[in-house]
Amino acid sequence: MNFKNLAQNVAVAASVAVASFTMAGVAEARDQIQIVGSSTVFPFSTAVAERFGQTTSFSTPVVESTGSGGGMKLFCSGVGLEHPDITNASRRIKDSEFGKCTDNGITITEVKIGFDGIVLANAKEGAEFYLTTRDIFLALAKEIPDGNGGLIENPHTNWSDVNPQLPDLRIEVLGPPPTSGTRDAFVELAMESGAKTFPELKALRKEDKKAFKAVAHAVREDGAFVEAGENDNLIVQKLTANPNALGIFGFSFLDQNSDRLKGSIVDGNAPTFDNIAGGAYPISRSLFFYVKQEHVGTVPGIEEFVAEFTSEAAWGPDGYLIDKGLIPLPEADRDAIRGSATSLAPLAM
Amino acid sequence: MTDMAISTAADKQQTEFSARLQKRYAAERRFRAYGLGAIAIAVSILGILLGTISFQGAPAFFQTYMKIDVYFDEAVIDPAGTREERTLRTANYQALAKRGLYEIFPEVTERREKRTLSRLLSSGAYRPLGEMVVNDPSIIGTTQTIWLVTSDDIDTFYKGQIDRETVEADRRVKDNEIAWVDALEADGRVDLQFNTAFFATGDSREPELAGIWGAVVGSFLTLIVTLSVSFPLGVSAAVYLEEFAPKNRWTDLIEVNINNLAAVPSIVFGLLGLAVFLSFFGMPRSAPLVGGLVLALMTLPTIIIATRAALKAVPPSIREAALGVGASDLQVVTHHVLPLAMPGILTGTIIGMAQALGETAPLLMIGMVAFIVDVPSSVTDPSTVLPVQIYIWADSPERAFVAKTSAAIMVLLGFLITMNAIAVMLRKRFERRW
């Protein structure tokens, strides 16, 4: 190894490095749609993106999984090719986020795409659970009403303490961490409606919404609720290994693992496709994506992408998104939303 | 009498001495046993890890295919007879593939049942048909026997990962589908074949179509950028600090900072990349260029430290001898010290690169944790990297992705082992001892 070769190598490497720096200074035009947002919508958004890339002459959109909140932050940060065109969300856009978007000169079109059920499931060989949202609240809340107008630290150790009809098993629930959208939806839909069944908490909600939320959203931290990470597959694996535990995750994971897991019945309704689609199953949320109108026409294919996403072949009851675990909207809603989405109706809040 | 006394005293000393000696030997044996035990535990854990990964990943290297007689109907492919490539490519080949499948089961007539039957095939099974027609338009109007990819459920079933005995409602593959697969198999129309698509295509939402080539190319482009930035910068910094810089408080401060930088969590570099490269310089999101720059920052300290160690290992006599025969300082470094230190430098660089290859955290912030179908062709194309691909697959609900995840881990481990083996080889072959 002599110096000449080395020097040449170094020179080549350095020039490549310099070239890459200078090249980057030029803001490049983008020919593919950029999508960010929720990890729950990610499987659906990617399925549409892939189909869109194959069946049209546009290039396949790039879909990032950043979480609903992270996606909104990126989406609302401005107009221009360095910002994403579409964001997915497993909840509706918040007022604060809408405000930020509007301040940055962004006009949004909201598209609701369907439902996602959140299930409590355990291993096939485990006990049957017939739960109510009240049971869920009593089992998992950090503090529960003591019956005299005050609150006490949750004393329940077994499911049978919560409700004598439930199995005599230790409460052990594996669920997502607070950073997850699934967790947000779970506390909002299951815990809150469970808390509302207590007259004193219902009264508190009328007086002081914040104080009520503090009680209803606080999940116990004494080991009965185990934060099992964002990866739902991991929860599924842990449940098959431990038949006494319950897990909280999205419906599509139950659907894929129906030979190993069974969903608990909540308020008399099993977490089945039909029950979630019909609205009978109580813990289900809507999924959305938001389109930046300023980018329509600048980035090619946005209108066509929206049309593909809202086509019957995708989100209809026999569509390919349904195979991926999406639960469809009722037909009338689909038609209405398709209309407003393809005409890019601006969202007002 | 006195003799006796002396000898007993000596005996006593002797026994005490040998007892102590035994104790020391025993302690040494124990110590060795602990060491051996530690190694055994490490090896067995590694064995379990590699064993489970290979066991889970092996099925992903094979894919279930179904033999279908496809009639290339001109009325469907190219009704106008123009033979234009665009028409040929975008024709409705899915309908042709389905038609071929329906012909095998003429008794299936009801619409819903037909839909279920058509789902034996992957939703992307027809993709090679377009390619075939474009390459050879003369097959239009003929019937060809083609092996097509089955759907992921059929694939997992055929590989024996779905139990027939389970109650039908709890099974993803229903009774009628099993009957069809059995009939096809009896006919010799179902077969496991090596999954070349896994090594040749980009990501897909369908497990049976997903491949790692996009991620491999992304990793390669990213590492090229990382190497071309961090190697020259790192080596020049180290040479200056080691050979030319005066030893004072400033250089001490720089040295401490470089050592600290090596211990900074990698996500911090991602945040830096987001703030500097994306927000300030306006570079594109999800591009290997930015990923490479971020990883270059991360590997710089590793390279600087390794290079300085390698330079230090070159004995001063070499420098003095060169100076003694009239070489300039620059000549001493470039003609003698650097070439002699090169094996050590390269070893450090390769280890740094291997580290960069396995990183995901910093790439999250700059948008490389993304679903990207197209294989990237330049450093500014959106792309992802191998560890990110593993992460995305591990997070997918489809059960067939479990095998894909392990298979991708095997590929990544293969690259890492190769890189480390090259580093070891360089050290063994070229390292000089003085």
Side-chain angles (χ1 to χ4, degrees):
Chain A
M1 202 172 296
N2 63 28
F3 167 62
K4 229 173 183 172
N5 279 341
L6 180 83
Q8 267 167 2
N9 288 339
V10 170
V12 168
S15 59
V16 169
V18 170
S20 57
F21 271 113
T22 43
M23 187 163 55
V26 189
E28 80 331 342
R30 184 147 61 76
D31 67 343
Q32 81 278 71
I33 304 172
Q34 250 179 22
I35 304 171
V36 293
S38 161
S39 54
T40 312
V41 187
F42 183 77
F44 311 129
S45 197
T46 48
V48 176
E50 191 179 353
R51 194 62 65 109
F52 177 73
Q54 276 159 25
T55 53
T56 65
S57 52
F58 301 103
S59 40
T60 312
V62 172
V63 189
E64 274 182 60
S65 167
T66 60
S68 301
M72 284 293 172
K73 205 173 154 197
L74 289 166
F75 180 77
C76 289
S77 51
V79 174
L81 289 181
E82 67 273 28
H83 303 293
D85 314 311
I86 292 175
T87 185
N88 300 319
S90 56
R91 54 166 174 78
R92 206 158 180 241
I93 188 168
K94 290 179 187 163
D95 287 340
S96 56
E97 291 162 343
F98 182 75
K100 200 183 161 210
C101 258
T102 323
D103 290 346
N104 285 326
I106 298 164
T107 324
I108 314 171
T109 298
E110 179 183 72
V111 186
K112 187 172 169 182
I113 57 167
F115 302 110
D116 175 40
I118 296 172
V119 301
L120 283 102
N122 60 344
K124 262 272 113 88
E125 65 268 29
E128 298 280 347
F129 278 88
Y130 294 88
L131 297 166
T132 60
T133 48
R134 188 185 171 97
D135 294 337
I136 295 173
F137 175 75
L138 282 177
L140 296 179
K142 194 173 179 201
E143 291 179 312
I144 58 172
D146 60 357
N148 304 320
L151 290 167
I152 49 162
E153 196 83 358
N154 193 339
H156 302 129
T157 51
N158 284 20
W159 285 103
S160 51
D161 302 340
V162 172
N163 180 346
Q165 264 128 46
L166 288 172
D168 188 12
L169 287 170
R170 212 161 61 79
I171 299 173
E172 196 179 353
V173 178
L174 309 171
T179 46
S180 146
T182 311
R183 166 79 167 263
D184 288 347
F186 177 75
V187 292
E188 229 157 76
L189 295 162
M191 303 269 290
E192 243 185 57
S193 65
K196 269 188 268 181
T197 60
F198 292 91
E200 56 266 51
L201 288 178
K202 204 170 180 182
L204 177 68
R205 182 162 176 265
K206 279 211 181 101
E207 281 164 33
D208 186 353
K209 223 168 174 175
K210 263 204 174 134
F212 168 75
K213 276 197 171 163
V215 178
H217 288 197
V219 174
R220 62 200 290 187
E221 289 156 358
D222 55 359
F225 182 87
V226 186
E227 280 176 11
E230 294 260 15
N231 189 331
D232 289 350
N233 274 325
L234 202 66
I235 299 185
V236 170
Q237 273 175 24
K238 284 181 178 165
L239 290 181
T240 43
N242 177 3
N244 292 331
L246 281 179
I248 300 170
F249 43 82
F251 173 73
S252 40
F253 286 85
L254 177 65
D255 190 36
Q256 284 281 336
N257 294 286
S258 52
D259 56 335
R260 301 193 281 199
L261 302 178
K262 61 177 177 222
S264 309
I265 286 133
V266 181
D267 289 347
N269 291 297
T272 60
F273 182 86
D274 295 325
N275 279 343
I276 301 170
Y281 183 76
I283 321 175
S284 84
R285 56 174 159 173
S286 309
L287 304 177
F288 300 88
F289 72 86
Y290 294 89
V291 184
K292 195 179 278 176
Q293 293 193 4
E294 283 73 13
H295 285 191
V296 175
T298 322
V299 179
I302 294 183
E303 278 171 304
E304 289 82 354
F305 179 80
V306 173
E308 169 70 34
F309 213 132
T310 56
S311 68
E312 279 303 287
W315 73 350
D318 285 324
Y320 57 85
L321 292 181
I322 310 308
D323 293 340
K324 295 273 148 217
L326 182 75
I327 292 166
L329 299 165
E331 197 175 350
D333 289 6
R334 285 203 304 274
D335 290 342
I337 292 171
R338 182 181 305 118
S340 70
T342 43
S343 64
L344 294 168
L347 173 71
M349 273 179 107
Chain B
M1 177 71 194
T2 41
D3 280 0
M4 278 276 271
I6 289 166
S7 82
T8 37
D11 274 354
K12 198 168 167 234
Q13 234 177 10
Q14 188 64 45
T15 42
E16 268 176 17
F17 171 74
S18 58
R20 272 203 308 273
L21 194 65
Q22 281 309 316
K23 234 173 145 180
R24 276 164 57 189
Y25 281 156
E28 191 183 319
R29 276 195 299 273
R30 274 203 305 280
F31 184 72
R32 281 191 196 174
Y34 294 151
L36 213 62
I39 291 173
I41 290 171
V43 167
S44 59
I45 289 176
L46 186 68
I48 291 169
L49 180 79
L50 292 180
T52 41
I53 288 174
S54 324
F55 180 72
Q56 285 186 344
F61 293 112
F62 294 91
Q63 177 70 48
T64 314
Y65 286 83
M66 209 175 263
K67 194 162 72 177
I68 308 281
D69 303 316
V70 180
Y71 172 59
F72 287 89
D73 191 348
E74 183 161 10
V76 173
I77 299 171
D78 189 11
T82 56
R83 296 290 190 270
E84 260 177 40
E85 192 181 323
R86 216 184 115 64
T87 332
L88 297 183
R89 222 175 256 287
T90 53
N92 188 0
Y93 292 105
Q94 197 164 15
L96 296 180
K98 276 184 190 172
R99 203 187 282 170
L101 183 61
Y102 295 150
E103 271 163 22
I104 304 173
F105 297 100
E107 70 276 12
V108 179
T109 49
E110 198 251 328
R111 192 181 154 272
R112 253 204 117 68
E113 222 185 341
K114 265 183 144 171
R115 267 188 73 83
T116 326
L117 177 60
S118 72
R119 284 191 189 167
L120 293 186
L121 285 175
S122 159
S123 61
Y126 61 92
R127 283 185 206 169
L129 300 183
E131 200 62 35
M132 281 175 71
V133 172
V134 171
N135 290 341
D136 180 15
S138 69
I139 61 172
I140 295 176
T142 63
T143 302
Q144 306 278 333
T145 306
I146 304 163
W147 288 95
L148 295 176
V149 185
T150 59
S151 73
D152 54 333
D153 284 336
I154 300 300
D155 183 47
T156 31
F157 168 72
Y158 193 70
K159 285 171 181 165
Q161 289 162 349
I162 293 178
D163 190 0
R164 278 167 193 264
E165 306 305 319
T166 332
V167 192
E168 188 183 8
D170 297 338
R171 219 189 304 119
R172 290 207 39 98
V173 182
K174 304 298 176 203
D175 285 347
N176 53 357
E177 293 174 90
I178 292 183
W180 289 326
V181 174
D182 287 346
L184 286 167
E185 194 182 1
D187 210 11
R189 284 180 179 272
V190 189
D191 194 20
L192 268 186
Q193 293 176 4
F194 186 70
N195 190 357
T196 42
F198 182 68
F199 295 100
T201 59
D203 197 5
S204 167
R205 205 55 244 166
E206 309 298 330
E208 69 274 16
L209 303 172
I212 50 162
W213 186 241
V216 170
V217 173
S219 271
F220 179 74
L221 291 172
T222 308
L223 285 188
I224 291 280
V225 175
T226 304
L227 184 67
S228 57
V229 173
S230 64
F231 186 73
L233 280 183
V235 171
S236 4
V239 166
Y240 178 76
L241 282 175
E242 200 56 47
E243 302 291 330
F244 299 103
K247 295 275 173 276
N248 59 25
R249 210 179 290 167
W250 286 111
T251 47
D252 281 352
L253 190 71
I254 290 172
E255 190 172 340
V256 168
N257 272 309
I258 289 173
N259 290 336
N260 277 340
L261 214 54
V264 169
S266 54
I267 186 82
V268 176
F269 291 103
L271 288 166
L272 181 85
L274 177 67
V276 176
F277 299 127
L278 293 188
S279 304
F280 188 70
F281 286 114
M283 296 187 193
R285 264 184 94 77
S286 319
L289 171 65
V290 183
L293 289 175
V294 167
L295 293 176
L297 295 180
M298 203 192 78
T299 35
L300 255 182
T302 314
I303 294 181
I304 294 179
I305 292 167
T307 306
R308 293 190 68 178
L311 292 172
K312 267 201 192 101
V314 176
S317 53
I318 303 272
R319 296 185 184 83
E320 279 153 18
L323 288 171
V325 296
S328 72
D329 278 345
L330 181 69
Q331 285 170 329
V332 171
V333 171
T334 52
H335 290 187
H336 301 282
V337 180
L338 209 48
L340 286 171
M342 216 21 113
I345 297 175
L346 290 179
T347 307
T349 309
I350 292 173
I351 288 170
M353 287 295 123
Q355 232 171 33
L357 177 63
E359 260 321 321
T360 41
L363 303 180
L364 186 75
M365 308 309 301
I366 53 164
M368 288 186 86
V369 180
F371 174 76
I372 288 150
V373 177
D374 304 326
V375 177
S377 52
S378 83
V379 290
T380 48
D381 281 354
S383 85
T384 182
V385 292
L386 270 172
V388 168
Q389 190 66 74
I390 292 168
Y391 168 78
I392 291 176
W393 285 350
D395 222 17
S396 302
E398 290 86 356
R399 187 100 65 89
F401 272 124
V402 174
K404 293 271 166 179
T405 308
S406 296
I409 293 173
M410 286 162 80
V411 172
L412 178 63
L413 280 179
F415 278 114
L416 289 175
I417 290 170
T418 316
M419 286 172 78
N420 283 328
I422 292 172
V424 170
M425 207 187 71
L426 276 176
R427 205 163 49 215
K428 279 256 155 13
R429 278 200 65 166
F430 296 108
E431 194 174 43
R432 292 198 32 193
R433 295 201 174 279
W434 284 281

